[in-house]
Amino acid sequence: MTQTFMNWGMSHDWAWALATIAGILLIALPLMLGVAMIIYADRKIWAAMALRRGPNVVGPWGLLQSFADGLKVFLQETIIPSAANKGLFLIAPIITFTVALMAWAVLPFNSGAILADINVGLLYILAISSLGVYGTVIAGWSSNSKYPFFSAMRASAQMISYEVSIGFILICVVLWADSFNLKTIVEAQHKYALFGLFNGFVFNPLLFPMWVMFLISGMAETGRAPFDLTEAESELVAGYQTEYSSMSFALYWLGEYANVLLMCALNATLFWGGYLPPMNIDLIPWFDIPGVVWLLLKILFFFFIFSWVKATVPRYRYDQLMRLGWKVFLPVSLMFVVLVSGYLMFTRYGA
C-alpha cells in the first residue's frame, strides 16, 4: 500500500503514514461493525437454546437491534459518582476498549494481509492482552464503591491466574513452530500437517490438550460464562462497571466482545490453521477460497462455542475457578512444555 501511494507522487514518509492509517481503519472499522453483529448473534443463540425468539423488532429479523442499543447509550447522560476519581473513572473504559483493538495489529488475515508482521507477534499479543486488567482494576478502584472494588480484585486475580497457564500453552506452540511470528506459526501448521492432510496443530496429539486448555482459559481470561465471576449479579450487582452509564458502559461492552473475538481468532490462528484451509486435498478447490474467508469461518465457529457454553453451563464458584487455574491447568501445561520440548529434541533436532 505504501508503494501505491508513492506511485501517486507522495514522499515515502507521507505514503507510509497514510498506508498505516488506512490499514488501521481497514481492521478497526470492520471489527467494530463485527462486534455489533456478534452481540446480535450472541443474543439469538441464547434465545434459540432457551426456546425464545431474541431480537426481532428493530430492522429485518432484528438485525439493527445492536445499533439501536448503541444509539440509546450514546444519547444517555454520563453520570460520574460524586466521590469517584473522575480522571481515572473516565480513562478506565478507554483503556479497556483501546487495548482490545491494539492486539489485532499483528494477526495475519492472509499470507500477505497483516498490519504489522513483527517477529515477536505472539509476545506482543500476550503483553497487550495483559494490559486489559488495568482497565478493570482502575474502574473498580476509581468508582469508590465496594462492590465494583471487590469485582475488580476478583477480575485481576482471575486474569493473572489464567495468563500463567496461557503462557505455558503458547510456549508449546512456539516450540513446535520454532517462531514467535504469527504468520510463521500459521505456515508451520501446513508444514507439519498431520499425514500431510490436516492443517492445524489441533490434530497433533501433543498439542490437542493444549488447545482444549487454551479454549477454556480464553473464556476465563475474557470473563465469559461459566467464568463470569467478575459480574456475578447475585453477589456483585453488575461487577466493576456497576457505576458506569452511557458510552462509558458501552466501551466496556464493546471491549469485552472485541476480546472475545480476539480469543476466537487466536484459537483459529494458533491451533486450527488460521487462514489455511482445513485439509490439503486437490480434489476440492480449498485454496481457491481466500484465506480471510477461512479465518472468518473459524472465528464464527469458535464464537458459537463461546455462546453455546454461556447459554448452557452454570457459573463456577470462585474457589472452583481458582482451583482449575492453579491446580489443574498450570501443572498440566508445565508438564506438556517438558513433553513437547523433549519430543522435539529427540525427533527434530536429533539429540
Side-chain angles (χ1 to χ4, degrees):
M1 192 179 294
T2 302
Q3 187 61 46
T4 302
F5 289 135
M6 290 177 66
N7 294 338
W8 292 352
M10 293 184 181
S11 66
H12 178 271
D13 292 343
W14 279 103
W16 178 84
L18 190 59
T20 303
I21 294 173
I24 292 172
L25 293 177
L26 198 60
I27 294 174
L29 294 180
L31 177 61
M32 288 187 282
L33 178 63
V35 166
M37 296 315 298
I38 67 163
I39 293 174
Y40 165 81
D42 214 9
R43 296 173 65 182
K44 277 292 190 180
I45 292 171
W46 301 343
M49 292 190 177
L51 300 180
R52 295 184 287 107
R53 300 194 58 158
N56 64 341
V57 176
V58 185
W61 305 290
L63 286 170
L64 301 180
Q65 182 64 55
S66 295
F67 301 99
D69 293 338
L71 179 62
K72 179 182 70 175
V73 296
F74 180 76
L75 297 176
Q76 287 177 341
E77 179 186 0
T78 300
I79 299 172
I80 303 177
S82 57
N85 186 314
K86 294 180 176 56
L88 293 177
F89 185 84
L90 291 175
I91 202 173
I94 298 174
I95 293 174
T96 299
F97 182 67
T98 304
V99 167
L101 294 181
M102 288 172 62
W104 288 84
V106 296
L107 275 175
F109 296 92
N110 210 333
S111 58
I114 179 171
L115 182 62
D117 190 11
I118 58 178
N119 291 330
V120 289
L122 198 55
L123 287 179
Y124 171 84
I125 285 184
L126 193 61
I128 288 296
S129 61
S130 300
L131 293 177
V133 71
Y134 287 103
T136 301
V137 172
I138 291 173
W141 183 84
S142 64
S143 298
N144 199 22
S145 178
K146 291 183 177 60
Y147 291 113
F149 183 63
F150 291 153
S151 174
M153 289 193 296
R154 271 190 180 184
S156 59
Q158 176 176 328
M159 295 172 76
I160 292 170
S161 299
Y162 281 86
E163 279 172 5
V164 176
S165 57
I166 285 177
F168 286 121
I169 292 168
L170 296 183
I171 287 175
C172 296
V173 174
V174 169
L175 287 171
W176 205 277
D178 200 20
S179 176
F180 283 97
N181 183 282
L182 286 170
K183 181 181 173 183
T184 306
I185 290 174
V186 172
E187 296 298 335
Q189 296 177 62
H190 175 66
K191 179 180 178 182
Y192 300 112
L194 184 65
F195 306 124
L197 291 177
F198 300 99
N199 295 319
F201 287 149
V202 70
F203 301 107
N204 187 316
L206 279 175
L207 295 181
F208 176 77
M210 294 295 95
W211 167 69
V212 174
M213 291 171 55
F214 185 80
L215 178 66
I216 299 172
S217 298
M219 294 179 185
E221 180 76 10
T222 54
R224 292 280 291 189
F227 307 107
D228 55 342
L229 275 301
T230 58
E231 302 175 15
E233 298 89 349
S234 59
E235 311 150 42
L236 300 172
V237 193
Y240 53 86
Q241 75 272 39
T242 298
E243 302 293 343
Y244 283 88
S245 60
S246 185
M247 281 305 295
S248 301
F249 175 79
L251 286 177
Y252 275 116
W253 192 249
L254 294 173
E256 176 185 338
Y257 275 91
N259 280 322
V260 170
L261 276 181
L262 175 65
M263 279 298 170
C264 294
L266 287 177
N267 271 282
T269 301
L270 298 176
F271 292 97
W272 288 80
Y275 53 80
L276 298 174
M279 298 180 67
N280 301 318
I281 300 178
D282 294 333
L283 298 177
I284 304 175
W286 296 108
F287 292 93
D288 294 338
I289 301 174
V292 66
V293 175
W294 285 117
L295 181 62
L296 180 62
L297 290 174
K298 293 172 185 178
I299 290 174
L300 293 177
F301 169 73
F302 284 112
F303 182 75
F304 174 77
I305 293 178
F306 272 62
S307 295
W308 184 6
V309 170
K310 184 166 184 174
T312 55
V313 180
R315 179 180 288 149
Y316 271 44
R317 294 197 317 266
Y318 196 70
D319 62 304
Q320 294 173 326
L321 171 77
M322 300 304 284
R323 186 188 304 119
L324 180 67
W326 289 106
K327 292 189 176 182
V328 179
F329 283 5
L330 179 58
V332 172
S333 59
L334 188 57
M335 179 186 69
F336 268 87
V337 170
V338 176
L339 289 176
V340 171
S341 57
Y343 175 82
L344 291 175
M345 286 299 294
F346 281 105
T347 56
R348 187 182 301 176
Y349 302 109

